[in-house]
């Protein structure tokens, strides 16, 4: 592949050109952020674990009929993906109350949410990703009504598939964030990533936190925890 140019970077990965106009490269870094706080620390193997975890989950979703950005795994820390025009929204589904929902509405952590909730946040670091609704998205041109309804349907479909996957492995999918994009023909794809960094996972029986919240709470063994989550869903990330 020809020389790469970094187009942008988020907390967990850098996105590079690939030499093919229709494809980009996700390079997952080892930077671990204590969420929204400046600075990061390096966690050995984090990039590899996130890359392989994301690829595994996206393949499961593809098998369930959800169109994703994924093309193929390139290396331990890199995946080739479709080039998309990203819709600047974070779509959050919650099955159980945690995080910002509890802070915002005073709901007790662990409260079951039935039916699961669907929230939209505008991707804007300067404004700290404010919550928006469908009316604002339409009027301000973030997404069309047709795109919003497809995004919502796909986000809930992901919930059905992944809640079952994690439930079968003894875990509770508490909440997660998805992002979508459009290809050059206007087709919608699930983009960005699904990793233990972009969701909350609790042990089903003990409700012990197995995701990034461990890091936020200062718990040790984040990589060990992610590898254990992966093992339970059938993905071997242990070093051989
Ligand atoms: P949320 O509870 O709104 O925020 P926080 O995690 O800061 O308390 O997050 C809901 C889910 O979405 C959670 O699993 C983390 C994920 N998420 C991201 O991955 N990136 C983000 O920028 C945000 C806001 C949430």
């Amino acid at each position: 592949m020809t020389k790469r140019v970094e187009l942008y970077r988020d907390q967990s990965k850098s996105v590079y050109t690939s030499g093919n106009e229709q494809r980009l490269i996700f390079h997952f870094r080892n930077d671990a952020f204590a969420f929204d706080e400046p600075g990061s620390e390096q966690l050995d193997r984090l990039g590899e674990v996130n890359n392989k975890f994301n690829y595994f989950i996206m393949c499961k979703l593809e098998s369930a009929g959800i169109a994703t950005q994924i093309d193929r795994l390139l290396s331990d820390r890199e995946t080739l993906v479709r080039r998309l025009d990203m819709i600047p929204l974070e779509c959050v589904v919650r099955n159980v109350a945690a995080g910002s929902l509890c802070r915002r509405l005073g709901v007790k952590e662990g409260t079951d949410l039935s039916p699961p909730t669907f929230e939209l946040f505008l991707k804007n670091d300067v404004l700290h990703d404010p919550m928006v609704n469908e009316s604002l998205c339409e009027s301000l041109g973030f997404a069309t009504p047709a795109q919003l309804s497809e995004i919502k349907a796909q986000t809930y479909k992901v919930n059905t598939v992944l809640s079952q996957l994690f439930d079968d492995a003894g875990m509770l999918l508490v909440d997660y964030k998805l992002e979508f994009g459009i290809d050059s023909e206007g087709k919608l794809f699930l983009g960005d990533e699904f990793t233990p960094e972009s969701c909350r996972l609790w042990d089903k029986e003990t409700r012990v936190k197995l995701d990034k919240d461990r890091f936020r709470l200062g718990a040790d063994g984040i990589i060990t925890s992610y590898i254990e989550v992966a093992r339970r869903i059938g993905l071997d990330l242990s070093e051989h």
Side-chain angles (χ1 to χ4, degrees):
M1 266 177 218
T2 53
K3 190 170 184 308
R4 300 161 178 190
V5 178
E6 185 178 312
L7 294 179
Y8 52 89
R9 56 166 52 206
D10 60 23
Q11 287 194 345
S12 62
K13 61 188 177 308
S14 297
V15 180
Y16 293 92
T17 56
S18 71
N20 173 345
E21 268 300 297
Q22 302 304 319
R23 293 287 182 273
L24 297 173
I25 296 167
F26 282 174
H27 175 97
F28 287 81
R29 301 190 314 272
N30 283 340
D31 305 342
F33 288 82
F35 225 64
D36 252 6
E37 285 169 16
S40 66
E41 73 180 65
Q42 293 291 300
L43 280 190
D44 201 28
R45 294 203 70 215
L46 181 64
E48 179 193 346
V49 167
N50 280 336
N51 183 41
K52 291 179 176 171
F53 194 95
N54 180 56
Y55 181 75
F56 181 85
I57 294 287
M58 291 294 173
C59 289
K60 291 277 179 203
L61 295 174
E62 282 280 352
S63 310
I66 294 161
T68 79
Q69 186 174 16
I70 289 290
D71 183 335
R72 68 190 157 89
L73 208 55
L74 291 177
S75 67
D76 279 356
R77 284 167 61 178
E78 290 178 322
T79 296
L80 192 67
V81 300
R82 256 171 231 282
R83 185 177 204 132
L84 300 178
D85 219 355
M86 294 305 289
I87 293 172
L89 297 171
E90 302 198 328
C91 310
V92 172
V93 163
R94 300 176 196 272
N95 295 302
V96 175
S100 75
L101 182 78
C102 300
R103 294 195 293 276
R104 220 174 341 119
L105 300 179
V107 181
K108 192 171 178 298
E109 184 182 83
T111 306
D112 284 336
L113 300 169
S114 182
T117 62
F118 176 80
E119 292 158 64
L120 292 164
F121 297 89
L122 178 65
K123 275 182 76 73
N124 185 317
D125 288 342
V126 177
L127 298 176
H128 304 289
D129 299 343
M131 189 183 221
V132 291
N133 61 23
E134 293 183 34
S135 163
L136 286 166
C137 290
E138 185 181 346
S139 297
L140 295 173
F142 303 139
T144 65
Q147 286 169 343
L148 287 167
S149 95
E150 198 181 344
I151 283 172
K152 198 167 176 177
Q154 292 296 300
T155 302
Y156 275 125
K157 189 165 176 189
V158 168
N159 199 37
T160 306
V161 176
L162 295 188
S163 291
Q164 189 66 59
L165 176 80
F166 289 113
D167 185 77
D168 289 346
M171 289 175 281
L172 183 61
L173 178 58
V174 171
D175 58 27
Y176 58 90
K177 182 263 308 175
L178 300 181
E179 294 179 28
F180 292 84
I182 308 288
D183 73 359
S184 54
E185 279 149 32
K187 182 171 158 50
L188 188 88
F189 290 87
L190 171 61
D192 198 55
E193 63 180 82
F194 187 104
T195 63
E197 309 265 292
S198 65
C199 69
R200 285 193 171 87
L201 290 165
W202 295 352
D203 182 272
K204 205 161 76 177
E205 302 305 325
T206 63
R207 297 218 157 189
V208 164
K209 296 180 167 75
L210 304 167
D211 54 74
K212 181 175 172 155
D213 264 345
R214 287 172 66 95
F215 183 71
R216 295 186 219 182
L217 298 171
D220 294 330
I222 190 84
I223 296 296
T224 311
S225 183
Y226 290 4
I227 290 172
E228 169 60 11
V229 168
R231 188 196 62 74
R232 288 203 206 176
I233 57 173
L235 169 64
D236 182 7
L237 294 177
S238 58
E239 280 179 303
H240 298 289

